[in-house]
Amino acid sequence: MSKFTLDTDFATLSTAQTHQWMLDLQDIIETSFENSSNRTSLLANLLVLERYTNTLRQGLAANGEQPSAILQQSQDLLWDWLQERANPHDFEDYANNLYACVCYIATGEELNEQQEAFLHEQLAEYTDFSTIETHIIEWSAALLISILAISGARLDFEELASCKNISFFEIEDMLNILTDACIDLTGIPRASCKAKDWEEAEGKLYQTPLFRQIVANVLEDLRTALAAKPEAFAALRKTYQQCTILPEEFAEDLLAY
């Protein structure tokens, strides 16, 4: 079990400790949420995801663009299920097809006729998506398919049938993506692409105010979710529509990463 908790102040950790914190993050979150409901776990994901999406939105707006319709539709469904306004049986086709398509985009996994039609109708521009937008869609798809499994709705992926809990894997993936991107965005030098030089650059990034604030915000989001009552969910969504994962001056450059 990790010695760190959601109350650990990342900004006070040594470089070695920050590396260990990153390795322990999944255990830290799972331990903190082990006695919580799936709706609480989903809320935790959604609060962080709102920040991430709002930074995407700022970056796209700099070029007169906006996030894809499927990204917004997927997040609306997640919030609706959270607030018990959506029945998983009503979005079975959507969630199964979306998950199949993100698997195809990531690995080239074969699609059936229905899934191909969904890809062309809903994700026709996926090749133009930034790494960040693609990751957000993948994250939303993973949450939606988990809801189907948890709820006993139709699931087209037998390997996911045993899923009983909303996971937090994508939060860790987001921080890994932001680590790589922010090393470049902050101009931290690397002697080479060797593992030891990359690890040294990561350690330098972890000590910057930028990354410390990212971590502080994520930890605050997780604590907020743990304490939230269902009657506060709608207000939290409204509040988090103003929150971002990075300061706005980094948003446009992040999308080019």
Side-chain angles (χ1 to χ4, degrees):
M1 181 179 295
S2 174
K3 63 182 179 180
F4 304 122
T5 71
L6 293 186
D7 293 317
T8 297
D9 185 353
F10 187 84
T12 66
L13 301 181
S14 68
T15 299
Q17 287 173 323
T18 57
H19 280 292
Q20 190 60 51
W21 185 92
M22 290 289 284
L23 291 173
D24 290 355
L25 179 58
Q26 193 67 29
D27 288 339
I28 296 168
I29 301 176
E30 289 180 356
T31 298
S32 300
F33 282 80
E34 61 185 353
N35 296 317
S36 300
S37 70
N38 275 310
R39 292 188 194 276
T40 296
S41 295
L42 178 61
L43 176 64
N45 275 271
L46 285 173
L47 296 184
V48 180
L49 190 54
E50 283 288 329
R51 286 188 185 274
Y52 200 25
T53 301
N54 290 335
T55 290
L56 169 70
R57 187 171 285 111
Q58 287 179 339
L60 290 171
N63 294 310
E65 301 172 348
Q66 59 186 0
S68 57
I70 198 167
L71 183 152
Q72 191 60 59
Q73 184 177 355
S74 298
Q75 291 187 13
D76 287 345
L77 280 173
L78 290 166
W79 280 101
D80 284 347
W81 183 82
L82 177 72
Q83 297 174 78
E84 300 186 50
R85 297 197 306 241
N87 186 326
H89 293 284
D90 293 335
F91 57 81
E92 289 172 333
D93 286 346
Y94 181 89
N96 279 299
N97 288 333
L98 177 61
Y99 189 78
C101 288
V102 299
C103 289
Y104 166 79
I105 292 168
T107 68
E109 188 168 329
E110 187 175 348
L111 300 175
N112 63 31
E113 186 174 333
Q114 182 183 34
Q115 293 160 353
E116 280 192 14
F118 185 92
L119 179 71
H120 293 304
E121 292 169 6
Q122 303 277 2
L123 284 160
E125 299 178 351
Y126 77 88
T127 55
D128 297 326
F129 292 163
S130 65
T131 298
I132 305 306
E133 183 156 12
T134 299
H135 184 227
I136 290 172
I137 293 170
E138 290 173 348
W139 188 345
S140 300
L143 292 172
L144 285 167
I145 206 72
S146 295
I147 289 171
L148 294 192
I150 291 163
S151 304
R154 194 193 88 244
L155 194 64
D156 294 345
F157 303 88
E158 293 182 6
E159 66 273 20
L160 301 177
S162 62
C163 175
K164 302 299 180 186
N165 299 297
I166 297 289
S167 79
F168 302 93
F169 294 126
E170 301 296 343
I171 294 177
E172 182 178 14
D173 283 350
M174 179 198 72
L175 285 177
N176 288 332
I177 290 171
L178 292 177
T179 294
D180 293 349
C182 287
I183 286 172
D184 291 333
L185 293 177
T186 55
I188 293 174
R190 298 187 304 278
S192 74
C193 291
K194 293 180 179 179
K196 66 179 183 62
D197 292 324
W198 191 261
E199 184 175 344
E200 182 180 350
E202 289 175 337
K204 291 178 180 177
L205 177 69
Y206 298 158
Q207 299 299 326
T208 63
L210 174 65
F211 198 81
R212 286 175 171 178
Q213 190 59 57
I214 291 171
V215 170
N217 288 340
V218 169
L219 292 176
E220 179 62 24
D221 299 343
L222 297 174
R223 292 193 296 267
T224 296
L226 277 171
K229 303 297 183 184
E231 55 268 26
F233 291 171
L236 279 171
R237 186 183 191 187
K238 184 175 181 180
T239 296
Y240 270 76
Q241 288 171 349
Q242 309 304 315
C243 298
T244 59
I245 200 67
L246 284 175
E248 186 170 359
E249 60 263 30
F250 293 101
E252 185 177 4
D253 289 339
L254 177 66
L255 300 197
Y257 171 73

